[in-house]
Amino acid sequence: MVAFDRPHPHLPSPQQNHLELPFFDDAHRAMAKPLAVWTSEQSVDEADDRAACREWVRLLAQGGWLRYCVPAAHGGALPALDSRALVILRETLAFHSPLADFAFAMQGLGSGAITLAGTPEQKDRYLPAVANGSKIAAFALSEPEAGSDVAAMATQAQASPQGYVLNGEKTWISNGGLADFYLGFAKTDPDGGTRGISAFIVDATTPGLDSSEHIHVMAPHPLATLRFKDCAVAADALVGPLHGGFKLAMQTLDIFRASVAAAALGMARRALAEAVAHAKQRKMFGQTLADFQLTQARLGEMSALIDAASMLTYRAAWLRDCSASQGAGTPAYTAAAASAKLTATENAQRVIDMALQMHGGRGVQVGQKIESLYRDIRSLRIYEGATEVQLLILGKHVLR
């Protein structure tokens, strides 16, 4: 059985000294300690990634943590979506199980557009179900020829007397084939570029939606290709204004971009903790690995990389919450989120690679935590805005 990894008995719990930084307030500090205790007490068989994600959604709902994915008016824990709370949650969950982090994040990302722009009826129907785990959400934006280039989207939604008819294909969809509903994006004006995209709620049982083609990746996660063939949805499935889907997608991704950086931080912190524990107990030439200056220097480098990424991540989450309280996003936040996502994912890759090297042959043994982290971290440098996209965002920001 491949089980959710409880931390090694000699590993410390995730450090929480950063919660004393001025980026966080008392509400964030109050949730962090019970969250760390809760995660350390959970155990899930992750041999089947789809079954495991369902179980994680159930447990996260039972623990009350999915309530941070929706606002208080619809069963949430806080008045509004709070990026700093999302950062704390994802960093802590990823330290213990990247699949638990995935299950949590998809509930928020898949329902985020409804939170931002849904009608009262849409919010009442979907958001409480997301918070209590009775509905699993998914976000369907990417296509075979439209990943970073969203304007190249080919899926179309044509108006009909009853609503809209969707035709096209989405791919790399997290929770594909598992979700109860999809927040999907389609062209309502084929020649409108990004100004011709609209957002729709598509229930998984809608005739004409096929989610049976699963995608298998190096770190198992529920992914699938979605195919829409004359898939009819009612007029009230439209989320937000007609042709306003691109802006809505970007606003949703903006909320969660800093939390992707936090997930990378959680994995990096776990890798460092594993490396420290291994270095202290590994005997070599009559001493421990930790006694060698080269080991100490490497651990110091790993720590510095994590600290640098954490400051950018917490700053980005703080800026997003500040801008949200003022009713709008800011260029400063967009750049800060890009810096955080870029730095945290790239630094985490380096930290995990160094930790694996320190483990020697044991580091590449299937079943070792450091081996699974090495596979888990790789996709974070691609999804929700690849490293190269973040560099372009930052370059344009500098030129302004």
Side-chain angles (χ1 to χ4, degrees):
M1 181 179 80
V2 179
F4 156 62
D5 257 333
R6 285 199 177 98
H8 186 284
H10 300 299
L11 289 180
S13 296
Q15 292 184 6
Q16 297 188 319
N17 298 340
H18 57 274
L19 293 171
E20 299 307 315
L21 293 168
F23 296 119
F24 300 103
D25 60 29
D26 290 341
H28 301 117
R29 298 180 186 106
M31 67 173 280
K33 186 173 181 178
L35 172 64
V37 172
W38 181 87
T39 52
S40 69
E41 295 172 346
Q42 307 308 309
S43 181
V44 170
D45 180 353
E46 296 186 349
D48 180 334
D49 59 316
R50 291 176 178 274
C53 273
R54 287 190 184 279
E55 179 64 4
W56 273 120
V57 168
R58 186 188 71 80
L59 290 172
L60 287 162
Q62 188 179 74
W65 305 114
L66 292 185
R67 295 176 61 230
Y68 289 90
C69 293
V70 303
H74 300 281
L78 298 172
L81 287 179
D82 185 283
S83 285
R84 287 168 293 173
L86 294 174
V87 159
I88 293 168
L89 275 150
R90 294 198 64 182
E91 182 175 340
T92 306
L93 290 169
F95 181 94
H96 292 278
S97 165
L99 202 56
D101 163 66
F102 170 92
F104 171 83
M106 289 306 107
Q107 287 294 89
L109 186 63
S111 63
I114 301 174
T115 296
L116 292 173
T119 64
E121 293 76 17
Q122 289 170 341
K123 292 178 179 180
D124 288 343
R125 181 177 178 186
Y126 292 97
L127 297 185
V130 166
N132 65 32
S134 60
K135 285 186 184 293
I136 294 178
F139 184 82
L141 180 64
S142 298
E143 297 187 2
E145 302 301 327
S148 299
D149 182 10
V150 179
M153 183 181 297
T155 298
Q156 294 191 20
Q158 294 182 319
S160 72
Q162 291 75 38
Y164 298 88
V165 178
L166 280 65
N167 283 282
E169 183 176 320
K170 298 289 178 181
T171 195
W172 302 109
I173 306 306
S174 296
N175 279 347
L178 184 71
D180 295 292
F181 71 93
Y182 299 89
L183 203 296
F185 297 84
K187 286 280 186 72
T188 41
D189 177 359
D191 301 317
T194 57
R195 296 172 185 262
I197 296 171
S198 298
F200 300 90
I201 301 171
V202 184
D203 289 321
T205 55
T206 306
L209 169 59
D210 179 3
S211 61
S212 61
E213 185 181 326
H214 297 174
I215 300 172
H216 302 284
V217 291
M218 62 192 291
H221 288 75
L223 293 165
T225 293
L226 309 181
R227 291 189 172 85
F228 301 94
K229 186 175 181 181
D230 298 329
C231 181
V233 297
D236 62 4
L238 178 69
V239 181
L242 186 67
H243 308 324
F246 176 76
K247 182 178 180 181
L248 186 54
M250 296 305 106
Q251 288 174 330
T252 305
L253 291 170
D254 262 357
I255 293 172
F256 288 91
R257 187 155 289 133
S259 77
V260 178
L265 274 179
M267 294 184 208
R269 289 194 194 280
R270 179 63 183 270
L272 177 57
E274 294 281 346
V276 168
H278 176 72
K280 286 181 176 179
Q281 62 85 30
R282 177 74 164 95
K283 298 293 191 294
M284 186 179 291
F285 302 112
Q287 54 188 336
T288 67
L289 188 60
D291 293 323
F292 290 93
Q293 286 187 327
L294 183 58
T295 302
Q296 295 164 17
R298 187 64 74 221
L299 292 171
E301 182 180 0
M302 294 160 72
S303 176
L305 288 169
I306 291 171
D307 279 350
S310 68
M311 292 301 103
L312 291 174
T313 300
Y314 306 148
R315 181 191 67 165
W318 173 76
L319 277 173
R320 188 267 157 189
D321 289 342
C322 289
S323 64
S325 68
Q326 297 166 7
T330 65
Y333 165 67
T334 299
S339 287
K341 206 271 184 181
L342 165 73
T343 305
T345 55
E346 293 292 330
N347 283 11
Q349 180 84 58
R350 292 173 62 190
V351 167
I352 293 169
D353 184 72
M354 285 187 274
L356 187 149
Q357 187 75 9
M358 197 176 295
H359 278 72
R362 190 176 300 173
V364 294
Q365 183 180 355
V366 173
Q368 292 290 318
K369 182 61 180 179
I370 204 68
E371 180 270 341
S372 65
L373 283 171
Y374 192 80
R375 290 182 286 106
D376 281 315
I377 190 59
R378 189 58 184 84
S379 62
L380 270 69
R381 294 168 58 203
I382 299 172
Y383 75 67
E384 290 190 42
T387 288
E388 291 75 16
V389 172
Q390 307 311 320
L391 289 169
L392 286 173
I393 291 170
L394 291 169
K396 289 178 181 179
H397 182 75
V398 169
L399 288 170
R400 290 195 188 102

